[in-house]
Coordinates of all heavy atoms in Angstrom, one line a residue:
M1 N 125.9 -67.8 -203.0 CA 127.0 -67.5 -203.9 C 127.2 -68.7 -204.9 O 127.4 -68.4 -206.1 CB 128.3 -67.4 -203.0 CG 129.4 -66.8 -203.8 SD 129.1 -65.1 -204.4 CE 130.5 -64.9 -205.5
I2 N 126.9 -69.9 -204.5 CA 127.1 -71.0 -205.4 C 126.0 -70.9 -206.5 O 126.2 -71.2 -207.7 CB 127.0 -72.3 -204.6 CG1 128.3 -72.5 -203.8 CG2 126.8 -73.5 -205.6 CD1 128.3 -73.7 -202.9
K3 N 124.8 -70.5 -206.0 CA 123.7 -70.3 -207.0 C 124.1 -69.3 -208.1 O 123.8 -69.5 -209.3 CB 122.5 -69.8 -206.3 CG 121.6 -70.9 -205.8 CD 120.3 -70.3 -205.3 CE 119.4 -71.4 -204.7 NZ 118.2 -70.8 -204.1
L4 N 124.8 -68.3 -207.7 CA 125.2 -67.3 -208.7 C 126.2 -67.9 -209.7 O 126.1 -67.7 -210.9 CB 125.9 -66.1 -208.0 CG 126.2 -64.9 -208.9 CD1 124.9 -64.2 -209.3 CD2 127.1 -63.9 -208.2
L5 N 127.1 -68.7 -209.2 CA 128.1 -69.4 -210.0 C 127.4 -70.3 -211.0 O 127.7 -70.3 -212.2 CB 129.1 -70.2 -209.2 CG 130.3 -69.4 -208.7 CD1 131.1 -70.3 -207.8 CD2 131.1 -68.9 -209.8
L6 N 126.4 -71.0 -210.5 CA 125.6 -71.9 -211.4 C 124.9 -71.1 -212.5 O 124.9 -71.5 -213.6 CB 124.6 -72.6 -210.6 CG 125.1 -74.0 -210.0 CD1 124.0 -74.6 -209.1 CD2 125.4 -74.9 -211.1
L7 N 124.4 -70.0 -212.1 CA 123.7 -69.1 -213.1 C 124.7 -68.7 -214.2 O 124.4 -68.7 -215.4 CB 123.1 -67.9 -212.4 CG 121.7 -68.1 -211.9 CD1 121.2 -66.8 -211.2 CD2 120.7 -68.4 -213.0
V8 N 125.9 -68.2 -213.7 CA 126.9 -67.8 -214.7 C 127.2 -69.0 -215.6 O 127.3 -68.8 -216.8 CB 128.1 -67.2 -214.0 CG1 129.2 -67.0 -215.0 CG2 127.7 -66.0 -213.2
L9 N 127.4 -70.1 -215.0 CA 127.8 -71.3 -215.8 C 126.7 -71.6 -216.8 O 127.0 -71.9 -218.0 CB 128.0 -72.5 -214.8 CG 128.7 -73.7 -215.5 CD1 130.1 -73.4 -215.7 CD2 128.6 -74.9 -214.6
L10 N 125.4 -71.6 -216.3 CA 124.3 -71.9 -217.2 C 124.3 -70.9 -218.4 O 124.0 -71.3 -219.5 CB 123.0 -71.8 -216.4 CG 122.5 -73.1 -215.8 CD1 121.2 -72.9 -215.0 CD2 122.2 -74.1 -216.9
F11 N 124.5 -69.7 -218.0 CA 124.5 -68.6 -219.0 C 125.6 -68.9 -220.1 O 125.3 -68.8 -221.3 CB 124.7 -67.3 -218.4 CG 124.7 -66.1 -219.4 CD1 123.6 -65.6 -219.9 CD2 125.9 -65.6 -219.8 CE1 123.6 -64.6 -220.8 CE2 126.0 -64.5 -220.7 CZ 124.8 -64.0 -221.2
F12 N 126.7 -69.3 -219.6 CA 127.9 -69.5 -220.5 C 127.6 -70.7 -221.4 O 127.8 -70.7 -222.6 CB 129.1 -69.8 -219.7 CG 130.3 -70.0 -220.6 CD1 130.9 -69.0 -221.2 CD2 130.9 -71.3 -220.7 CE1 132.0 -69.2 -222.0 CE2 131.9 -71.5 -221.5 CZ 132.5 -70.4 -222.2
V13 N 127.0 -71.8 -220.8 CA 126.7 -73.0 -221.6 C 125.6 -72.6 -222.6 O 125.7 -73.0 -223.8 CB 126.2 -74.1 -220.7 CG1 125.6 -75.2 -221.5 CG2 127.4 -74.6 -219.9
G14 N 124.6 -71.9 -222.2 CA 123.5 -71.5 -223.1 C 124.1 -70.7 -224.3 O 123.7 -70.8 -225.4
Y15 N 125.0 -69.8 -223.9 CA 125.5 -68.9 -224.9 C 126.3 -69.6 -226.0 O 126.1 -69.4 -227.2 CB 126.4 -67.8 -224.2 CG 126.9 -66.8 -225.1 CD1 126.1 -65.8 -225.7 CD2 128.3 -66.8 -225.5 CE1 126.6 -64.8 -226.5 CE2 128.8 -65.8 -226.4 CZ 127.9 -64.8 -226.9 OH 128.4 -63.9 -227.7
S16 N 127.2 -70.6 -225.5 CA 128.0 -71.3 -226.5 C 127.1 -72.2 -227.3 O 127.4 -72.5 -228.4 CB 129.1 -72.1 -225.8 OG 128.7 -72.7 -224.6
F17 N 126.0 -72.7 -226.7 CA 125.0 -73.5 -227.4 C 124.4 -72.7 -228.5 O 124.3 -73.2 -229.7 CB 124.0 -74.0 -226.4 CG 123.0 -75.0 -227.1 CD1 123.4 -76.2 -227.5 CD2 121.7 -74.6 -227.2 CE1 122.5 -77.1 -228.1 CE2 120.7 -75.5 -227.8 CZ 121.1 -76.7 -228.3
I18 N 124.0 -71.5 -228.2 CA 123.4 -70.7 -229.3 C 124.4 -70.4 -230.4 O 124.1 -70.4 -231.6 CB 122.9 -69.3 -228.6 CG1 121.7 -69.7 -227.8 CG2 122.6 -68.3 -229.7 CD1 121.2 -68.5 -226.9
Q19 N 125.7 -70.2 -230.0 CA 126.8 -70.0 -231.0 C 126.9 -71.2 -231.9 O 127.2 -71.0 -233.1 CB 128.1 -69.7 -230.3 CG 128.1 -68.4 -229.5 CD 128.8 -67.3 -230.3 OE1 130.0 -67.5 -230.7 NE2 128.1 -66.2 -230.6
T20 N 126.7 -72.4 -231.4 CA 126.9 -73.5 -232.3 C 125.6 -73.7 -233.2 O 125.7 -74.1 -234.3 CB 127.0 -74.9 -231.5 OG1 126.1 -74.8 -230.4 CG2 128.4 -75.0 -231.0
L21 N 124.5 -73.2 -232.7 CA 123.3 -73.3 -233.5 C 123.3 -72.2 -234.6 O 122.9 -72.5 -235.7 CB 122.0 -73.0 -232.6 CG 121.5 -74.2 -231.8 CD1 120.2 -73.8 -231.1 CD2 121.2 -75.3 -232.7
F22 N 123.9 -71.1 -234.3 CA 124.0 -70.0 -235.3 C 125.4 -69.6 -235.5 O 125.9 -68.7 -234.8 CB 123.1 -68.8 -234.8 CG 121.7 -69.1 -234.5 CD1 121.3 -69.3 -233.2 CD2 120.8 -69.3 -235.5 CE1 120.0 -69.6 -232.9 CE2 119.5 -69.6 -235.2 CZ 119.1 -69.7 -233.9
P23 N 126.1 -70.3 -236.3 CA 127.5 -70.0 -236.5 C 127.7 -68.7 -237.2 O 126.8 -68.1 -237.7 CB 128.0 -71.2 -237.4 CG 126.8 -71.8 -238.0 CD 125.6 -71.5 -237.1
S24 N 129.0 -68.2 -237.2 CA 129.3 -66.9 -237.6 C 128.5 -66.4 -238.8 O 128.4 -67.2 -239.8 CB 130.8 -66.8 -237.8 OG 131.1 -67.5 -239.0
R25 N 128.0 -65.2 -238.7 CA 127.2 -64.7 -239.8 C 128.1 -64.0 -240.9 O 127.5 -63.3 -241.7 CB 126.2 -63.8 -239.3 CG 125.2 -64.5 -238.4 CD 124.2 -63.5 -237.7 NE 123.4 -64.2 -236.8 CZ 122.5 -63.6 -236.0 NH1 122.3 -62.3 -236.1 NH2 121.7 -64.2 -235.2
S26 N 129.4 -64.3 -240.8 CA 130.2 -63.5 -241.8 C 130.0 -64.0 -243.2 O 130.3 -63.3 -244.1 CB 131.7 -63.8 -241.4 OG 131.9 -65.2 -241.3
K27 N 129.4 -65.2 -243.4 CA 129.1 -65.7 -244.7 C 128.0 -64.9 -245.4 O 127.8 -64.9 -246.6 CB 128.7 -67.1 -244.7 CG 129.9 -68.1 -244.4 CD 129.4 -69.5 -244.3 CE 130.5 -70.4 -243.9 NZ 130.0 -71.8 -243.6
G28 N 127.2 -64.2 -244.6 CA 126.1 -63.4 -245.1 C 124.9 -64.3 -245.1 O 124.9 -65.5 -245.4
P29 N 123.7 -63.7 -244.8 CA 122.5 -64.5 -244.7 C 122.0 -65.1 -246.0 O 121.3 -66.2 -246.0 CB 121.5 -63.5 -244.2 CG 122.0 -62.2 -244.6 CD 123.5 -62.3 -244.6
K30 N 122.3 -64.5 -247.1 CA 121.8 -65.0 -248.4 C 122.8 -65.6 -249.3 O 123.1 -65.1 -250.4 CB 121.0 -63.9 -249.1 CG 119.6 -63.7 -248.4 CD 118.8 -62.7 -249.3 CE 117.5 -62.5 -248.6 NZ 116.6 -61.5 -249.3
S31 N 123.5 -66.6 -248.8 CA 124.5 -67.3 -249.7 C 123.9 -68.5 -250.2 O 124.5 -69.6 -250.1 CB 125.8 -67.6 -248.9 OG 125.4 -68.3 -247.7
S32 N 122.7 -68.4 -250.8 CA 122.0 -69.6 -251.3 C 122.5 -70.1 -252.6 O 122.1 -71.1 -253.1 CB 120.5 -69.3 -251.4 OG 120.3 -68.1 -252.2
D33 N 123.5 -69.4 -253.2 CA 124.0 -69.9 -254.5 C 125.1 -70.9 -254.3 O 125.6 -71.4 -255.3 CB 124.4 -68.7 -255.4 CG 125.1 -67.6 -254.6 OD1 125.5 -67.9 -253.5 OD2 125.2 -66.5 -255.1
N34 N 125.3 -71.2 -253.0 CA 126.3 -72.3 -252.8 C 125.6 -73.7 -253.2 O 124.4 -73.8 -253.2 CB 126.6 -72.4 -251.3 CG 127.6 -71.3 -250.9 OD1 128.2 -70.7 -251.8 ND2 127.7 -71.1 -249.6
A35 N 126.5 -74.7 -253.5 CA 125.9 -75.9 -253.9 C 125.1 -76.6 -252.8 O 125.5 -76.8 -251.7 CB 127.1 -76.9 -254.2
K36 N 123.9 -76.9 -253.2 CA 122.9 -77.5 -252.4 C 123.0 -77.3 -250.9 O 123.7 -78.1 -250.2 CB 122.8 -79.0 -252.7 CG 121.4 -79.5 -252.5 CD 121.1 -80.7 -253.3 CE 119.6 -80.8 -253.5 NZ 119.2 -82.0 -254.1
P37 N 122.4 -76.3 -250.3 CA 122.4 -76.1 -248.9 C 121.6 -77.1 -248.2 O 120.6 -77.6 -248.7 CB 121.7 -74.7 -248.7 CG 120.9 -74.5 -250.0 CD 121.6 -75.3 -251.1
E38 N 122.0 -77.5 -247.0 CA 121.3 -78.6 -246.3 C 120.0 -78.1 -245.8 O 119.0 -78.9 -245.8 CB 122.2 -79.1 -245.1 CG 123.1 -80.1 -245.5 CD 123.7 -80.8 -244.3 OE1 122.9 -81.2 -243.4 OE2 124.9 -81.0 -244.3
G39 N 119.9 -76.9 -245.5 CA 118.6 -76.4 -245.0 C 117.7 -75.9 -246.2 O 117.2 -74.8 -246.2
E40 N 117.6 -76.7 -247.2 CA 116.8 -76.3 -248.3 C 115.3 -76.2 -248.0 O 114.8 -77.0 -247.2 CB 117.0 -77.3 -249.5 CG 116.4 -76.8 -250.8 CD 116.6 -77.8 -251.9 OE1 117.2 -78.8 -251.7 OE2 116.1 -77.5 -253.0
Q41 N 114.7 -75.3 -248.6 CA 113.3 -75.1 -248.3 C 112.4 -76.3 -248.8 O 112.6 -76.8 -249.9 CB 112.8 -73.8 -249.1 CG 111.4 -73.3 -248.5 CD 110.9 -72.2 -249.4 OE1 111.6 -71.6 -250.2 NE2 109.6 -72.0 -249.3
M42 N 111.6 -76.7 -247.9 CA 110.7 -77.8 -248.3 C 109.3 -77.2 -248.6 O 108.8 -76.3 -248.0 CB 110.5 -78.8 -247.1 CG 111.9 -79.4 -246.7 SD 112.6 -80.4 -247.9 CE 111.7 -81.9 -247.7
V43 N 108.7 -77.8 -249.7 CA 107.4 -77.3 -250.1 C 106.4 -78.5 -250.0 O 106.7 -79.6 -250.1 CB 107.4 -76.7 -251.5 CG1 108.1 -75.4 -251.5 CG2 108.0 -77.7 -252.5
L44 N 105.1 -78.1 -249.7 CA 104.1 -79.1 -249.5 C 103.4 -79.4 -250.9 O 102.9 -78.5 -251.5 CB 103.1 -78.7 -248.5 CG 101.9 -79.6 -248.2 CD1 102.4 -80.9 -247.6 CD2 100.9 -78.9 -247.3
D45 N 103.3 -80.7 -251.2 CA 102.5 -81.1 -252.3 C 101.0 -81.2 -251.9 O 100.7 -82.0 -251.0 CB 103.0 -82.5 -252.7 CG 102.2 -83.1 -253.9 OD1 101.1 -82.6 -254.1 OD2 102.7 -83.9 -254.6
P46 N 100.2 -80.2 -252.4 CA 98.8 -80.2 -251.9 C 98.0 -81.4 -252.4 O 96.9 -81.7 -251.8 CB 98.3 -78.9 -252.5 CG 99.1 -78.7 -253.7 CD 100.4 -79.2 -253.4
Q47 N 98.5 -82.1 -253.3 CA 97.8 -83.3 -253.9 C 97.9 -84.5 -253.0 O 96.9 -85.1 -252.5 CB 98.2 -83.6 -255.3 CG 97.6 -84.8 -255.9 CD 96.1 -84.7 -256.0 OE1 95.5 -83.6 -256.1 NE2 95.4 -85.9 -255.9
C48 N 99.1 -84.9 -252.6 CA 99.3 -86.1 -251.8 C 99.9 -85.8 -250.4 O 100.0 -86.7 -249.6 CB 100.3 -87.1 -252.6 SG 101.9 -86.4 -252.7
G49 N 100.1 -84.5 -250.1 CA 100.5 -84.1 -248.8 C 102.0 -84.5 -248.5 O 102.4 -84.5 -247.3
T50 N 102.8 -84.6 -249.5 CA 104.2 -84.9 -249.3 C 105.0 -83.7 -249.3 O 104.7 -82.7 -250.1 CB 104.7 -85.9 -250.4 OG1 103.9 -87.0 -250.5 CG2 106.1 -86.4 -250.1
Y51 N 106.1 -83.6 -248.5 CA 107.0 -82.5 -248.6 C 108.2 -82.8 -249.5 O 108.7 -83.9 -249.4 CB 107.6 -82.2 -247.2 CG 106.6 -81.3 -246.4 CD1 105.7 -81.9 -245.5 CD2 106.6 -79.9 -246.5 CE1 104.8 -81.1 -244.8 CE2 105.7 -79.2 -245.8 CZ 104.8 -79.8 -244.9 OH 103.9 -79.0 -244.2
I52 N 108.5 -81.9 -250.4 CA 109.5 -82.1 -251.4 C 110.5 -80.9 -251.3 O 110.0 -79.8 -251.1 CB 109.0 -82.2 -252.8 CG1 107.5 -82.5 -252.9 CG2 109.7 -83.3 -253.6 CD1 106.7 -81.2 -253.2
P53 N 111.8 -81.1 -251.5 CA 112.7 -80.0 -251.6 C 112.3 -79.1 -252.8 O 111.9 -79.6 -253.9 CB 114.1 -80.6 -251.9 CG 113.9 -82.1 -251.5 CD 112.5 -82.4 -251.7
L54 N 112.3 -77.8 -252.6 CA 111.9 -76.9 -253.6 C 112.5 -77.1 -255.0 O 111.8 -77.1 -256.0 CB 112.2 -75.4 -253.1 CG 111.7 -74.3 -254.0 CD1 110.2 -74.3 -254.1 CD2 112.1 -73.0 -253.4
S55 N 113.8 -77.4 -255.0 CA 114.5 -77.6 -256.3 C 114.1 -78.8 -257.0 O 114.2 -78.9 -258.2 CB 116.0 -77.6 -256.0 OG 116.3 -78.7 -255.2
E56 N 113.5 -79.8 -256.3 CA 113.0 -81.0 -257.0 C 111.5 -81.1 -257.3 O 111.0 -82.0 -257.8 CB 113.4 -82.3 -256.1 CG 114.9 -82.5 -256.1 CD 115.3 -83.6 -255.1 OE1 114.5 -84.5 -254.9 OE2 116.4 -83.5 -254.5
S57 N 110.9 -80.0 -256.9 CA 109.4 -80.0 -257.0 C 109.0 -79.7 -258.5 O 109.8 -79.1 -259.2 CB 108.8 -79.0 -256.1 OG 109.2 -77.7 -256.4
V58 N 107.8 -80.1 -258.8 CA 107.2 -79.7 -260.1 C 106.3 -78.5 -259.8 O 105.4 -78.6 -259.0 CB 106.3 -80.9 -260.6 CG1 105.7 -80.5 -262.0 CG2 107.2 -82.1 -260.8
K59 N 106.7 -77.4 -260.5 CA 106.0 -76.2 -260.2 C 104.8 -76.0 -261.1 O 104.8 -76.4 -262.3 CB 106.9 -75.0 -260.3 CG 108.0 -75.1 -259.3 CD 109.1 -74.1 -259.6 CE 110.3 -74.3 -258.7 NZ 111.0 -75.6 -259.0
A60 N 103.7 -75.4 -260.6 CA 102.6 -75.1 -261.4 C 101.9 -73.8 -260.9 O 101.8 -73.7 -259.7 CB 101.6 -76.2 -261.5
N61 N 101.5 -73.0 -261.8 CA 100.7 -71.8 -261.4 C 99.3 -72.0 -261.7 O 98.9 -72.0 -262.9 CB 101.3 -70.6 -262.1 CG 100.9 -69.3 -261.4 OD1 99.7 -69.0 -261.1 ND2 101.9 -68.5 -261.0
I62 N 98.5 -72.2 -260.7 CA 97.1 -72.6 -260.9 C 96.2 -71.5 -260.3 O 96.3 -71.2 -259.1 CB 96.7 -73.9 -260.3 CG1 97.5 -75.0 -260.9 CG2 95.2 -74.2 -260.5 CD1 97.7 -76.3 -260.1
Q63 N 95.4 -70.8 -261.1 CA 94.5 -69.7 -260.7 C 95.3 -68.7 -259.9 O 94.9 -68.2 -258.8 CB 93.4 -70.3 -259.9 CG 92.4 -71.1 -260.7 CD 91.3 -71.8 -259.9 OE1 91.3 -71.7 -258.7 NE2 90.4 -72.4 -260.6
G64 N 96.4 -68.3 -260.4 CA 97.2 -67.2 -259.8 C 98.0 -67.7 -258.6 O 98.7 -66.8 -258.0
Q65 N 97.9 -68.9 -258.2 CA 98.7 -69.4 -257.0 C 99.7 -70.4 -257.4 O 99.5 -71.3 -258.2 CB 97.7 -70.0 -256.1 CG 97.1 -69.0 -255.1 CD 96.8 -69.7 -253.8 OE1 96.0 -70.7 -253.7 NE2 97.3 -69.2 -252.7
Q66 N 100.9 -70.2 -256.8 CA 102.0 -71.1 -257.1 C 101.9 -72.3 -256.3 O 101.7 -72.3 -255.1 CB 103.3 -70.3 -256.8 CG 104.6 -71.1 -257.3 CD 104.7 -71.1 -258.8 OE1 104.3 -70.2 -259.5 NE2 105.3 -72.2 -259.3
H67 N 101.9 -73.5 -256.9 CA 101.9 -74.7 -256.2 C 103.1 -75.6 -256.6 O 103.6 -75.4 -257.7 CB 100.6 -75.5 -256.6 CG 99.3 -74.8 -256.1 ND1 98.9 -74.9 -254.8 CD2 98.4 -74.1 -256.8 CE1 97.8 -74.2 -254.7 NE2 97.5 -73.7 -255.9
Y68 N 103.4 -76.5 -255.7 CA 104.6 -77.3 -255.9 C 104.1 -78.8 -255.7 O 103.4 -79.1 -254.7 CB 105.7 -77.0 -254.9 CG 106.1 -75.6 -255.0 CD1 105.5 -74.6 -254.1 CD2 107.0 -75.1 -255.9 CE1 105.9 -73.3 -254.2 CE2 107.4 -73.8 -256.0 CZ 106.8 -72.9 -255.2 OH 107.2 -71.6 -255.2
F69 N 104.6 -79.6 -256.6 CA 104.1 -81.1 -256.5 C 105.4 -82.0 -256.6 O 106.4 -81.6 -257.1 CB 103.2 -81.4 -257.7 CG 102.0 -80.5 -257.7 CD1 102.0 -79.4 -258.5 CD2 100.9 -80.8 -257.0 CE1 100.8 -78.5 -258.5 CE2 99.8 -80.0 -257.0 CZ 99.7 -78.8 -257.7
C70 N 105.1 -83.2 -256.1 CA 106.2 -84.2 -256.1 C 106.4 -84.8 -257.4 O 107.5 -85.3 -257.8 CB 106.0 -85.2 -255.0 SG 104.6 -86.3 -255.4
S71 N 105.4 -84.8 -258.3 CA 105.5 -85.4 -259.6 C 104.5 -84.7 -260.5 O 103.6 -84.0 -260.1 CB 105.2 -86.9 -259.5 OG 103.9 -87.1 -259.0
R72 N 104.7 -85.0 -261.8 CA 103.7 -84.4 -262.8 C 102.4 -85.1 -262.6 O 101.4 -84.5 -263.0 CB 104.3 -84.7 -264.2 CG 105.4 -83.7 -264.5 CD 106.0 -84.0 -265.8 NE 107.2 -83.3 -266.0 CZ 107.9 -83.2 -267.2 NH1 107.4 -83.8 -268.2 NH2 109.0 -82.5 -267.3
K73 N 102.4 -86.3 -262.2 CA 101.1 -87.0 -262.0 C 100.3 -86.2 -261.0 O 99.1 -86.0 -261.2 CB 101.4 -88.4 -261.5 CG 100.2 -89.4 -261.6 CD 100.6 -90.8 -261.2 CE 99.6 -91.3 -260.2 NZ 100.1 -92.3 -259.3
C74 N 100.9 -85.9 -259.9 CA 100.2 -85.1 -258.8 C 99.7 -83.8 -259.4 O 98.6 -83.4 -259.1 CB 101.1 -84.9 -257.6 SG 101.1 -86.3 -256.5
R75 N 100.5 -83.2 -260.2 CA 100.1 -81.9 -260.7 C 98.9 -82.0 -261.6 O 98.0 -81.2 -261.5 CB 101.3 -81.3 -261.5 CG 101.0 -79.9 -262.0 CD 102.1 -79.3 -262.8 NE 102.5 -80.1 -264.0 CZ 103.5 -79.7 -264.8 NH1 104.2 -78.6 -264.5 NH2 103.7 -80.4 -265.9
S76 N 98.9 -83.0 -262.5 CA 97.7 -83.1 -263.4 C 96.5 -83.5 -262.6 O 95.4 -83.1 -262.9 CB 98.0 -84.1 -264.5 OG 98.4 -85.4 -264.0
Q77 N 96.7 -84.4 -261.6 CA 95.5 -84.7 -260.7 C 95.0 -83.5 -260.0 O 93.7 -83.3 -259.9 CB 95.9 -85.8 -259.7 CG 96.0 -87.2 -260.3 CD 96.4 -88.2 -259.3 OE1 96.9 -87.9 -258.2 NE2 96.3 -89.5 -259.7
F78 N 95.9 -82.7 -259.5 CA 95.4 -81.5 -258.8 C 94.7 -80.5 -259.8 O 93.7 -79.9 -259.4 CB 96.7 -80.8 -258.2 CG 96.3 -79.6 -257.3 CD1 95.9 -79.9 -256.0 CD2 96.4 -78.3 -257.7 CE1 95.6 -78.8 -255.1 CE2 96.1 -77.3 -256.9 CZ 95.7 -77.5 -255.6
K79 N 95.2 -80.4 -261.0 CA 94.6 -79.5 -262.0 C 93.2 -80.0 -262.3 O 92.3 -79.2 -262.6 CB 95.5 -79.5 -263.2 CG 96.6 -78.4 -263.1 CD 97.3 -78.3 -264.5 CE 98.3 -77.2 -264.4 NZ 99.1 -77.1 -265.7
K80 N 93.0 -81.3 -262.3 CA 91.7 -81.8 -262.6 C 90.7 -81.4 -261.6 O 89.5 -81.1 -261.9 CB 91.7 -83.3 -262.7 CG 92.0 -83.9 -264.1 CD 92.0 -85.4 -264.1 CE 93.1 -86.0 -264.9 NZ 93.3 -87.4 -264.6
K81 N 91.1 -81.3 -260.3 CA 90.2 -80.9 -259.2 C 89.9 -79.5 -259.2 O 88.9 -79.1 -258.7 CB 90.9 -81.3 -257.9 CG 90.9 -82.8 -257.6 CD 91.0 -83.0 -256.1 CE 92.3 -82.3 -255.5 NZ 92.5 -82.7 -254.1
H82 N 90.8 -78.6 -259.8 CA 90.6 -77.2 -259.7 C 90.3 -76.6 -261.1 O 90.8 -77.0 -262.1 CB 91.8 -76.5 -259.2 CG 92.0 -76.8 -257.7 ND1 92.4 -78.0 -257.2 CD2 91.7 -76.1 -256.6 CE1 92.4 -78.0 -255.9 NE2 92.0 -76.9 -255.5
Ligands
ZN101 ZN1 102.5 -85.8 -254.8

């Protein structure tokens, strides 16, 4: 019987934990037009291997592929290689 109580307790703790991880979805999944979301998408700079926030990256379309760089320097270096 005590085991069952523990299970229920664990379930409850787990459930409230999930609730804190995923707060109410009433805001809608795509409210990205809010001022700077904390979970901003990070993109990889293929030149130096640094991750940069998408909004701060230098974008370039090279051979039909979209690439993101931390700086213009990296972009031009990458372009030289390709
Ligand atoms: Zn870079």
Side-chain angles (χ1 to χ4, degrees):
M1 195 61 189
I2 290 176
K3 269 189 184 176
L4 189 72
L5 273 175
L6 271 176
L7 272 178
V8 171
L9 193 71
L10 268 178
F11 179 78
F12 181 74
V13 169
Y15 184 72
S16 41
F17 183 66
I18 288 169
Q19 291 260 304
T20 42
L21 279 184
F22 306 100
S24 70
R25 294 173 186 179
S26 53
K27 284 176 188 172
K30 284 187 178 178
S31 55
S32 51
D33 36 22
N34 284 347
K36 213 154 198 187
E38 274 196 44
E40 192 180 355
Q41 193 190 345
M42 301 295 280
V43 288
L44 177 66
D45 180 336
Q47 176 61 29
C48 65
T50 309
Y51 279 95
I52 346 101
L54 184 60
S55 61
E56 287 171 34
S57 64
V58 179
K59 297 166 189 69
N61 201 305
I62 299 160
Q63 292 175 354
Q65 272 210 302
Q66 188 72 29
H67 292 284
Y68 304 94
F69 302 96
C70 67
S71 61
R72 286 176 189 191
K73 198 178 131 203
C74 276
R75 183 177 64 178
S76 57
Q77 281 179 348
F78 188 81
K79 273 185 175 176
K80 271 184 218 162
K81 285 201 304 183
H82 288 77

